Amino acid sequence: MIPNDVELKNMSNTQWKQIYWKYINRLQTLCKDVVRVVKLKDGGKEICADERYRPRAPCIIYSFGINNDLSFDNEAVKMFGCDVFCFDPSMKMESKRISDHVWFYNWGLSGENTVDKQGWKMKTLRTIRNDLGHSNKTIDILKMDIETFEWNSMLQMIPAGDLDDVRQFAVETHFMHGKIPGNLQLSALRQLYDRGFRIFMRDRNIIAGIEGSMTKLNEISLINVLYSLET
């Protein structure tokens, strides 16, 4: 288990890395039917298709971080029949409807509503859900690949309760990278656990190389066991 915030603050970088590596590499729950949505290389995600968690139309998927590649989003439509809402402020593309079930927005996900130095419009998850009329709807899958912005986003959305009605969460983690220190990144992972999210699959993404004995990028897929029991 990840220590509390006071204990974490008094630990070294080496200790943070040891805790992180041990934590993400230990599966916390069983998904019997794990499916890979699209390619095996960077960009694909593992989704739990067990009866309790498999998305069924009408369903909603939020996909943060597109990088000019909609293959995950299009494949998710084919597999599950969901409406997929895609977000990426780094692409030179205006917000628009892509197809019958795919929408694109040039917004970024962050821990605050702001316009950053690059002119990107950044929004919290709550603001995005409100803007799209999804504040009272279940998000069946939230996929996040946003280059270190996952940490400040999670530290805002978890205590706000904005993930409580999310069934599955697939995120690429960049541990000890970005502006958020390692102790707070670990705190975000612990808060996910406390809110019912359990890791059912992890993948060591080697695209960015290895730092010491750790891959710099790691993919984790989680299911919300609390929300599944309630719905």
Side-chain angles (χ1 to χ4, degrees):
M1 200 61 194
I2 297 175
N4 64 44
D5 289 349
V6 174
E7 292 177 297
L8 286 173
K9 191 173 183 180
N10 293 319
M11 292 180 178
S12 66
N13 287 358
T14 299
Q15 289 174 307
W16 292 340
K17 290 179 180 179
Q18 290 172 342
I19 292 170
Y20 167 78
W21 195 237
K22 182 178 180 181
Y23 186 80
I24 67 162
N25 283 292
R26 180 177 295 172
L27 301 185
Q28 300 164 347
T29 192
L30 174 66
C31 174
K32 295 180 180 179
D33 187 7
V34 177
V35 296
R36 178 79 177 185
V37 178
V38 84
K39 56 192 178 184
L40 290 174
K41 59 182 180 178
D42 190 46
K45 291 290 183 286
E46 310 284 355
I47 300 301
C48 183
D50 284 359
E51 182 70 19
R52 293 168 59 190
Y53 300 102
R54 182 183 179 87
R56 292 175 177 81
C59 45
I60 295 173
I61 296 175
Y62 274 16
S63 177
F64 291 98
I66 307 304
N67 194 27
N68 295 291
D69 182 1
L70 289 163
S71 56
F72 169 88
D73 315 284
N74 291 324
E75 186 65 20
V77 172
K78 293 178 183 177
M79 294 179 71
F80 307 119
C82 298
D83 288 334
V84 183
F85 299 85
C86 311
F87 308 88
D88 195 324
S90 70
M91 295 165 53
K92 296 179 179 179
M93 187 164 76
E94 294 299 315
S95 299
K96 63 180 180 179
R97 187 168 188 167
I98 302 294
S99 65
D100 287 347
H101 291 281
V102 179
W103 289 258
F104 172 81
Y105 295 90
N106 57 7
W107 308 335
L109 182 66
S110 184
E112 60 180 338
N113 298 309
T114 186
V115 176
D116 70 8
K117 294 179 181 178
Q118 300 179 83
W120 296 351
K121 185 177 291 186
M122 311 297 290
K123 300 187 178 188
T124 66
L125 180 61
R126 174 165 295 187
T127 296
I128 289 172
R129 294 184 67 172
N130 286 339
D131 288 352
L132 298 183
H134 297 155
S135 57
N136 296 315
K137 294 186 177 181
T138 294
I139 306 300
D140 291 85
I141 299 171
L142 194 157
K143 165 242 176 187
M144 189 186 297
D145 187 352
I146 53 177
E147 310 305 322
T148 76
F149 278 95
E150 68 270 16
W151 301 116
N152 69 342
S153 299
M154 285 193 286
L155 286 166
Q156 184 277 326
M157 66 175 68
I158 301 169
D162 295 331
L163 290 182
D164 290 355
D165 54 0
V166 172
R167 291 188 186 277
Q168 299 196 43
F169 184 34
V171 56
E172 181 181 82
T173 62
H174 305 72
F175 188 67
M176 298 287 286
H177 295 279
K179 296 180 180 180
I180 305 298
N183 61 311
L184 293 182
Q185 294 179 4
L186 286 170
S187 178
L189 292 176
R190 190 192 64 247
Q191 290 179 54
L192 274 179
Y193 186 92
D194 291 344
R195 291 280 184 166
F197 285 90
R198 302 290 186 267
I199 298 172
F200 69 87
M201 183 60 70
R202 65 99 181 91
D203 182 23
R204 298 167 186 172
N205 190 333
I206 62 172
I207 191 171
I210 298 174
E211 192 173 84
S213 60
M214 292 170 43
T215 44
K216 292 182 180 180
L217 303 181
N218 293 277
E219 311 276 353
I220 55 174
S221 295
L222 310 94
I223 47 181
N224 186 344
V225 297
L226 296 182
Y227 191 60
S228 174
L229 291 174
E230 294 171 357
T231 57

